[in-house]
Amino acid sequence: EHEDTGFLLQELLEGQNYGAAAADGTQSPSVSVSRNSPAKRDYLVVAVLCFGNLINFSDGFIVPGILLDIQKYFGLSDGKTGLLQTVFTSCYMLAALIFGYLGDRYNRKIILGAGLFFWSGVTLGSSFITESHYRLFFLSRGLVGIGSASYSTIAPTIIADLFEEGKRTTMLSIFYIFIPVGSGCGYMLAAGMAKSTGDWHWAFRVTPCMGGLALLLLILLVPHRIPRRTAAHRALSISGTILGADEKPDVHRTAMTTWCQDVRSLVKNCSFVCSSLGLTAVTFVTGALATWMPLFLHRAQAVQGTVPPCLHESCNSSNSLIFGGITIGTGSLGIIAGAEAARRLRKRNNKADPLICAISMFISALCLYIALMVAQTNILSTFIFIAFGELFLSVNWAIVTDILLYVVTPRRHSTAIALQILVSHLLGDASSPYIIGAISNAIQARNAPSVQWSFRSMQYSFVICAFVGVLAGAFFLLTSFYIEGDRREAQR
């Protein structure tokens, strides 16, 4: 009897598929387990977290939205201008590692609230920095990155604990839609405030007000403690009726591991490692586009003679508005399309998730390369191919996170997300803005100063992004070879 009971419990535990349905779609016929549908409170929590994510990414993309103004105000070269976003991202990724450790062990609501308050306050303070203190402005962006890391690391784990299976994929997709929406709003907010007030500093005084509202909603509407949903926790109510009182799974024992043990386990997880490297290549391209694309478009138009070169403090911000709109539209559509494609195709193929990511990156790399090549002659075609490039680039966001959540055991989720953030940003968007700017500087130094070479230097620098996009697709293809075995191991 005990052997049959143990076998049944194992089936029930392995039946908790974190995001991917079994290939044959079979279920255990022995027991029908009823699950409580998510409460209205759970959807309210997701709404609050999404609003915070909107502010988080709006804050992060204010600087790229008015990069021309900031570059002229502080008198920065392309290399130093790219370093500005590198400082933000570097602090963000290093802090993510700390918050991943804290998020797996301490109250997540308190950490989220403290981070939100901190980065909103620093953003407001940075709006009063004068042109003679550009190093202080660099420092402020690094501090904003630290606050933002607390949110990006911990908020997805709360959603993962509130929902199961396909519902969780949907909720994560909604949460990650606010990455492109927030990013696009950051561009448009920055450009709009700079244009309407004639002073770009006002762009840094809007999101702190929104951050105060988000903090209030977090305090009032998000429960102080949200149970961490591990496989053993999910089986407790079942095992209470199947097993005797002294035969329940030892949840506390299975959850007690050191941080070093968690890291060693994650490094041995091939699906986690390969998908993280794929995401790293994605963030490299995303960081370069986010930082430099509005400036690149302005230089392309200057070469065509449709806009004058930016030689004064108040620069033309129309490209930031257009690029922000493209980011919102294509990013939202890409995330929704990616999640829906994964939901449908994973029923037929357990490797669907990494294959979708790989194909989308190959297409994105091609579109971005074409956009760069036609920029000097046809700006409309450039916008069109950039839109398609961003569309297929955005397909990956929710899917990669979902891959992590079902190939990594739940008690290591925050640590896994933190490590993924560290690696992907260290080698991705922390590096790419500076690398693109440094290459551009080197090309300009070898040629006579001119509008033509100002554009050419950025165009040639950007070509590296197309090749990195192809590399991302290769890593996702490699993930498909390991994903089935790692998923089964995580379920056990």
Short mmCIF file of all heavy atoms in Angstrom, two decimals, residues 65 92 133 149 186 208 222 275 364 460 477 486:
data_model
loop_
_atom_site.label_atom_id
_atom_site.label_comp_id
_atom_site.label_asym_id
_atom_site.label_seq_id
_atom_site.Cartn_x
_atom_site.Cartn_y
_atom_site.Cartn_z
N GLY A 65 16.16 58.57 -24.29
CA GLY A 65 15.17 59.40 -24.96
C GLY A 65 15.64 60.82 -25.19
O GLY A 65 15.15 61.50 -26.10
N TYR A 92 22.93 47.76 -11.83
CA TYR A 92 21.69 46.97 -11.86
C TYR A 92 21.98 45.48 -11.74
O TYR A 92 21.39 44.76 -10.93
CB TYR A 92 20.97 47.28 -13.16
CG TYR A 92 19.72 46.47 -13.46
CD1 TYR A 92 18.47 46.91 -13.06
CD2 TYR A 92 19.80 45.28 -14.16
CE1 TYR A 92 17.33 46.18 -13.35
CE2 TYR A 92 18.67 44.54 -14.45
CZ TYR A 92 17.44 45.00 -14.04
OH TYR A 92 16.33 44.26 -14.33
N HIS A 133 28.88 68.95 -12.83
CA HIS A 133 28.96 67.76 -11.98
C HIS A 133 28.46 66.52 -12.74
O HIS A 133 27.60 65.79 -12.26
CB HIS A 133 28.12 67.96 -10.71
CG HIS A 133 28.60 69.07 -9.83
ND1 HIS A 133 28.16 70.37 -9.97
CD2 HIS A 133 29.50 69.08 -8.82
CE1 HIS A 133 28.74 71.13 -9.05
NE2 HIS A 133 29.57 70.37 -8.34
N ALA A 149 16.97 46.95 -9.77
CA ALA A 149 17.29 45.52 -9.69
C ALA A 149 16.40 44.78 -8.70
O ALA A 149 16.05 43.62 -8.91
CB ALA A 149 18.76 45.34 -9.32
N GLY A 186 9.28 55.71 -21.59
CA GLY A 186 10.44 56.47 -21.16
C GLY A 186 10.96 57.38 -22.26
O GLY A 186 11.26 58.56 -22.02
N PRO A 208 9.19 59.92 -10.59
CA PRO A 208 9.15 59.80 -9.13
C PRO A 208 7.75 59.96 -8.54
O PRO A 208 7.42 59.32 -7.53
CB PRO A 208 10.08 60.94 -8.67
CG PRO A 208 11.05 61.09 -9.78
CD PRO A 208 10.24 60.86 -11.02
N VAL A 222 -0.82 44.64 -1.87
CA VAL A 222 -0.02 43.41 -1.96
C VAL A 222 0.11 42.80 -0.58
O VAL A 222 0.52 43.49 0.36
CB VAL A 222 1.37 43.69 -2.56
CG1 VAL A 222 2.22 42.43 -2.56
CG2 VAL A 222 1.23 44.24 -3.97
N SER A 275 20.22 28.96 -22.35
CA SER A 275 19.19 29.98 -22.54
C SER A 275 19.64 31.32 -21.97
O SER A 275 19.30 32.38 -22.52
CB SER A 275 17.87 29.54 -21.89
OG SER A 275 18.01 29.36 -20.50
N SER A 364 15.16 38.50 -36.65
CA SER A 364 15.45 39.82 -36.11
C SER A 364 16.80 40.33 -36.57
O SER A 364 16.94 41.50 -36.97
CB SER A 364 15.40 39.78 -34.58
OG SER A 364 15.77 41.02 -34.02
N TYR A 460 28.65 51.57 -38.93
CA TYR A 460 29.60 50.45 -38.91
C TYR A 460 29.65 49.80 -37.53
O TYR A 460 29.81 48.58 -37.41
CB TYR A 460 30.99 50.93 -39.31
CG TYR A 460 31.09 51.42 -40.73
CD1 TYR A 460 32.11 52.28 -41.14
CD2 TYR A 460 30.16 51.03 -41.70
CE1 TYR A 460 32.22 52.74 -42.44
CE2 TYR A 460 30.26 51.47 -43.01
CZ TYR A 460 31.27 52.34 -43.38
OH TYR A 460 31.37 52.79 -44.67
N LEU A 477 19.09 27.37 -30.03
CA LEU A 477 19.06 26.05 -30.66
C LEU A 477 19.75 25.01 -29.77
O LEU A 477 19.27 23.88 -29.62
CB LEU A 477 19.76 26.11 -32.02
CG LEU A 477 18.95 26.58 -33.23
CD1 LEU A 477 19.81 26.54 -34.48
CD2 LEU A 477 17.70 25.73 -33.42
N ASP A 486 16.27 18.47 -18.47
CA ASP A 486 16.36 19.42 -17.36
C ASP A 486 14.99 19.71 -16.78
O ASP A 486 14.87 19.94 -15.56
CB ASP A 486 17.04 20.71 -17.83
CG ASP A 486 18.52 20.52 -18.10
OD1 ASP A 486 19.11 19.62 -17.48
OD2 ASP A 486 19.08 21.26 -18.94
#
